[in-house]
Amino acid sequence: RTTRRADAVKILAATRYHGLDGYARMIESCFAQTAHVATAIEVRPEFELALQPELTTVLFRYRARHGDPDHVNAEPRRTLLADGSAVIGRTTLPAAGGEPGGPGSLRLKLTLLRPETTFAELDTLLDLIADAARACDRPGS
């Protein structure tokens, strides 16, 4: 036990540096970002919000018009990761019968945990996702 790192010291130091009000501001900022992204997705016809976020994770997808919806939503993740623009998560939602997975079940996932991120940066990210998805949303893809 005497060789374990003193992890509690990190928490104590961070709390003393930021204070409880500082932590509250950071958490509120992340929740505001989440609300902004959810609203931005709802007003953009190319996106579909999977459900209203309760914490700081937003699940959504690009509405594929021509290609396979799972492929069209997986491709932006690969493209943006490869060019260093963004790291986007993914998950699958259960089908209507409660079975996990299935065609059209893939959703993109944004987990917003950086309080300094601006709404403009998030809007740009949604533009990047839409552009990358649009590029592979073709008949037969």
Side-chain angles (χ1 to χ4, degrees):
R1 291 188 162 269
T2 60
T3 61
R4 289 188 180 176
R5 298 181 312 196
D7 288 336
V9 173
K10 295 176 192 174
I11 295 169
L12 177 64
T15 302
R16 284 195 175 164
Y17 178 78
H18 293 289
L20 294 179
D21 289 341
Y23 272 111
R25 282 190 301 276
M26 287 189 277
I27 292 167
E28 288 168 5
S29 175
C30 292
F31 276 101
Q33 292 169 17
T34 304
H36 175 82
V37 168
T39 299
I41 287 169
E42 287 181 311
V43 300
R44 292 177 68 154
E46 68 267 34
F47 289 123
E48 174 186 330
L49 187 66
L51 49 102
Q52 285 297 323
E54 293 183 12
L55 295 173
T56 61
T57 298
V58 182
L59 301 179
F60 67 104
R61 70 177 173 172
Y62 178 85
R63 294 179 198 254
R65 293 183 298 161
H66 304 291
D68 169 59
D70 289 337
H71 172 74
V72 170
N73 280 281
E75 195 57 34
R77 293 182 65 246
R78 291 185 201 102
T79 301
L80 298 177
L81 180 63
D83 71 16
S85 298
V87 177
I88 302 166
R90 67 169 260 179
T91 192
T92 55
L93 293 181
E99 293 296 318
S105 64
L106 187 138
R107 296 296 183 275
L108 299 173
K109 179 168 66 170
L110 297 180
T111 303
L112 303 162
L113 297 173
R114 182 177 174 267
E116 298 84 8
T117 301
T118 66
F119 290 173
E121 290 170 328
L122 295 169
D123 293 339
T124 299
L125 175 59
L126 291 177
D127 290 341
L128 291 172
I129 294 168
D131 290 345
R134 201 174 295 114
C136 69
D137 187 16
R138 299 183 196 139
S141 61

